[in-house]
Amino acid sequence: DWINVHLNGSAVMRSVDLYDAAGRCMYQSGDVVLEKTRVSTNQWPAGLYMLRVQTDTGVLTKKIYIQ
């Protein structure tokens, strides 16, 4: 399974992080310059996760549920 992350508009991703419900970092992209990215979730248990995307214009945070 995969999470596809794509931003609408002209914003560019500088980093992408995913955290589980306990606050543990499950994925960290490091410094990047991306318009879109794909994260494998094959080994992750089902549950609620927080996606945090740092862009050149600010920070976006979204809840994601993986089944």
Side-chain angles (χ1 to χ4, degrees):
D1 295 326
W2 297 88
I3 294 174
N4 293 304
V5 182
H6 173 78
L7 298 177
N8 295 328
S10 61
V12 175
M13 289 182 263
R14 301 295 180 186
S15 68
V16 177
D17 304 320
L18 278 154
Y19 299 90
D20 68 8
R24 291 182 298 245
C25 186
M26 301 296 289
Y27 174 82
Q28 195 169 35
S29 69
D31 293 332
V32 295
V33 178
L34 300 170
E35 293 179 8
K36 61 183 176 178
T37 190
R38 191 173 189 197
V39 179
S40 173
T41 60
N42 287 334
Q43 303 298 319
W44 298 6
L48 182 66
Y49 293 83
M50 295 297 292
L51 170 69
R52 182 181 183 276
V53 179
Q54 175 75 44
T55 72
D56 49 353
T57 59
V59 176
L60 172 70
T61 304
K62 293 286 183 181
K63 292 180 185 176
I64 295 175
Y65 188 79
I66 296 176
Q67 296 182 348

